[in-house]
């Protein structure tokens, strides 16, 4: 991951805490730890001596992601770019009747958009090639309502082409949003005629501009608008035919789904498993979309869309969210097995505004400050069991510190007790847990919890959660310990862990503390402490 850097030693800044020697563990606790590790070692030795052949990897548990879906998930964040006549008319949903002459960005620079995206850690950009007003940011041959009729570049400009080239040169992915709802096109409302028109425009976009990594669709339509049936299945088939490497986003996939809100917040339980037949584009069950389906038979991971500003298009009166607010959204999207699609709308000059860039820079610095220092990286690690034995490096628990989903810890088969033991080798303070699964072989973990060895030599639960998936981030009140246990309580199949990290977040603000509540739900996760947090006020707004 971009936010993590390997270090040969683990250090804690002096300002973070004052070190003190750990209290010795009780003899009983020490004996339990030694027995668990020796048990793994002895079973490994007998296994390796009787069978010198390597153990094959565990069987994937279906469904599993396609190659484009996997690439999409590994990208973690994408930048949405809403740009068009609305940018110049101070509108959100254009009527489709704005004069094309209003579109005239004086300092348009697609390379600046891409540079901002890449420097801020975004893996791809997605452009509103056509929004609901029907104005096309490329010279479509199917309508005159496009950049061809504007004064920009004397009518010879092509926003899509310039952005596609800039993204290609920078080595980041390029995606497009072509709004199904078109308030300008006269054929809209005539089902067959408009679907042919839409496919014609989609074909232009997917055959002229190189590799497209994502096609973004929605079911947005205002009340009282013309009745219109969209031939989504035909559209999906054409897109996969013309751009087989692209993922298609909509309320119901087929490749990635809407989370059900425009706040960038996923459910604290979030499966990539889903049943597309249970959802209709434009008419969804928000809870089902947020959480996914543990029994789902299709792989349709969730995408969290949110704008850095109150609106989706740039408005001179609006200001961006704070970096700490974006960090809160990060925990609730990427930290809940989703991709974060953050809209950063260019202004009327054709540039991303300086105040938005400043927030993105601060957001990047917050992530770097927290996630570049995995406090567990130098820990001594053991496990309740290891597939093929403890000496099998292919599934060794040490793999949880390697930054790849293709290396992971796997337990011995047919177990019901799955634990990772960590000795940090010194007492450290931390308040964030990171866990990742190797999702190329399926999403497995249903429930888990984290324990620390407290000053009395007793194991104490700190936090627990449900799904993990590609990545899970959990926040909890700051604690100190040297010894940890990560326990998988329930899993669809043998649980596999590809990464484990603990971090110190000194920036998120915990508020509304009460000493009277018997339990708490913090950031959507139960924290087993005698205090209460309001999960909606984690970061300053």
């Amino acid at each position: 991951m971009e936010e993590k850097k390997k270090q040969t030693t683990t250090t804690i800044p002096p300002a973070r805490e004052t070190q003190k020697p750990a209290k010795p563990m009780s003899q009983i606790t020490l004996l339990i730890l030694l027995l668990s590790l020796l048990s793994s070692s002895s079973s490994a030795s007998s296994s390796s001596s009787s069978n010198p052949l390597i153990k094959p990897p565990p069987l994937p548990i279906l469904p599993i992601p396609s190659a484009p879906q996997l690439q999409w998930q590994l990208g973690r964040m994408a930048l949405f770019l809403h740009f068009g006549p609305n940018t110049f008319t101070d509108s959100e949903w254009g009527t489709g009747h704005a004069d094309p002459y209003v579109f005239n960005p004086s300092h348009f620079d697609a390379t600046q958009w891409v540079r901002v995206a890449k420097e801020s850690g975004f893996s791809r950009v997605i452009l509103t090639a056509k929004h609901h007003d029907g104005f096309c940011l490329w010279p479509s041959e199917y309508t005159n309502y496009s950049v061809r009729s504007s004064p920009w570049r004397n009518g010879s400009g092509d926003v899509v082409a310039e952005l596609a080239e800039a993204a290609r040169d920078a080595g980041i992915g390029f995606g497009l949003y072509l709004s199904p709802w078109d308030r300008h096109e006269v054929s809209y409302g005539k089902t067959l005629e408009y679907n042919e028109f839409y496919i014609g425009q989609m074909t232009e976009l997917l055959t002229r501009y190189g590799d497209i990594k994502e096609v973004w669709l929605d079911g947005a339509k205002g009340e009282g608008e013309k009745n219109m049936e969209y031939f989504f299945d035909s559209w999906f088939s054409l897109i996969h035919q013309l751009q087989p490497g692209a993922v298609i986003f909509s309320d119901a996939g087929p490749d990635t789904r809407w989370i059900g809100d425009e706040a960038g917040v996923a459910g604290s339980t979030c499966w990539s498993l889903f049943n597309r037949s249970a959802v209709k584009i434009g008419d969804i069950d928000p809870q089902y979309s947020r959480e996914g389906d543990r029994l789902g038979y299709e792989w349709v991971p969730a995408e969290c869309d949110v704008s850095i500003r109150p609106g989706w298009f740039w408005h001179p009166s609006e200001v961006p969210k704070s970096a700490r607010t974006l960090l809160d959204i990060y925990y609730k999207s990427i930290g809940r097995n989703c991709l974060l699609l953050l809209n950063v709308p260019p202004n009327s000059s054709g540039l991303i505004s300086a105040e938005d860039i400043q927030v993105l820079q601060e957001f990047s610095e917050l992530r770097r400050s927290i996630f570049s220092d995995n406090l567990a990286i130098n820990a001594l690690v053991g496990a309740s069991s290891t597939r093929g034995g403890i000496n099998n490096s292919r599934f060794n628990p040490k793999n949880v510190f390697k930054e790849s989903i293709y290396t992971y810890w796997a337990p011995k088969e047919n177990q019901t007790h799955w634990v990772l033991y960590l000795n940090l080798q010194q007492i450290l303070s931390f308040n964030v847990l990171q866990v990742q699964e190797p999702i190329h072989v399926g999403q497995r973990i249903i429930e888990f919890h984290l324990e620390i060895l407290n000053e009395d030599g007793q194991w104490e639960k700190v936090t627990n959660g449900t799904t993990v998936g590609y990545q899970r981030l959990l926040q909890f009140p700051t604690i100190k310990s040297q010894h940890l246990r990560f326990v998988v309580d329930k899993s669809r199949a043998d649980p596999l862990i590809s990464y484990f990290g603990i971090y110190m977040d000194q920036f998120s603000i915990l508020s509304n503390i009460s000493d009277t509540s018997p339990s708490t739900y913090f950031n959507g996760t139960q924290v087993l402490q005698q205090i209460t947090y309001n999960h909606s006020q984690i970061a300053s707004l």
Side-chain angles (χ1 to χ4, degrees), residues 47 123 147 150 152 154 160 168 251 281 413 497 508 522:
S47 172
S123 61
V147 287
S150 77
W152 178 65
N154 295 317
V160 177
R168 184 167 54 250
D251 292 349
I281 299 175
E413 307 92 309
I497 305 296
S508 295
F522 175 73

Side-chain angles (χ1 to χ4, degrees), residues 65-203:
S66 66
Q69 286 175 320
L70 196 56
Q71 184 185 47
W72 170 90
Q73 187 85 68
L74 296 176
R76 297 181 305 111
M77 294 197 302
L79 200 71
F80 216 174
L81 297 159
H82 277 65
F83 189 59
N86 292 348
T87 308
F88 302 86
T89 60
D90 202 16
S91 304
E92 278 291 301
W93 280 7
T95 63
H97 301 298
D99 193 321
Y101 267 74
V102 303
F103 184 83
N104 191 19
S106 57
H107 295 87
F108 175 83
D109 186 359
T111 60
Q112 188 242 16
W113 301 2
V114 170
R115 183 172 62 252
V116 169
K118 188 170 184 177
E119 290 177 353
S120 302
F122 293 83
S123 61
R124 62 183 56 179
V125 292
I126 300 176
L127 174 69
T128 57
K130 182 187 80 171
H131 203 250
H132 310 324
D133 61 0
F135 186 86
C136 299
L137 296 183
W138 80 101
S140 174
E141 297 177 3
Y142 295 95
T143 181
N144 290 323
Y145 201 55
S146 75
V147 287
R148 180 180 288 155
S149 299
S150 77
W152 178 65
R153 302 271 199 267
N154 295 317
S156 61
D158 189 333
V159 175
V160 177
E162 292 194 36
L163 184 57
E165 182 179 8
R168 184 167 54 250
D169 290 346
I172 68 173
F174 179 54
L176 293 166
Y177 166 44
L178 184 67
S179 171
W181 182 27
D182 190 322
R183 305 185 76 179
H184 178 83
E185 173 55 35
V186 294
S187 67
Y188 188 85
K190 303 173 183 177
T191 297
L192 179 61
E193 188 176 342
Y194 180 74
N195 274 276
E196 290 176 341
F197 170 83
Y198 186 90
I199 281 182
Q201 290 198 322
M202 182 66 78
T203 301

Side-chain angles (χ1 to χ4, degrees), residues 223-286:
E223 293 184 7
E225 289 294 320
K226 299 175 184 176
N227 187 37
M228 181 74 227
E229 179 185 356
Y230 302 133
F231 293 169
F232 282 113
D233 288 339
S234 295
W235 300 359
F236 296 160
S237 296
L238 178 74
I239 294 167
H240 279 153
Q241 179 190 87
L242 297 178
Q243 292 285 344
V247 297
I248 302 173
F249 167 94
S250 81
D251 292 349
D255 301 309
T256 175
R257 73 180 192 267
W258 188 36
I259 205 62
D261 62 57
E262 293 185 343
V265 176
S268 60
T269 294
C270 190
W271 292 97
S272 293
L273 284 59
F274 200 68
N275 287 329
R276 292 181 55 215
S277 60
V279 177
K280 181 180 178 181
I281 299 175
D283 183 17
I284 67 166
D285 176 349

Side-chain angles (χ1 to χ4, degrees), residues 300-353:
V300 189
E303 185 167 311
C304 296
D305 59 324
V306 62
S307 184
I308 196 171
R309 289 166 173 257
W312 290 89
F313 285 88
W314 177 83
H315 303 286
S317 62
E318 294 181 352
V319 296
K321 295 175 171 64
S322 71
R324 283 183 172 176
T325 298
L326 295 186
L327 179 63
D328 182 32
I329 292 171
Y330 184 88
Y331 280 115
K332 295 175 180 177
S333 56
I334 292 174
R336 295 181 178 178
N337 187 38
C338 300
L339 180 139
L340 172 59
L341 177 61
L342 179 64
N343 180 66
V344 182
N347 59 33
S348 57
S349 69
L351 299 171
I352 294 177
S353 298

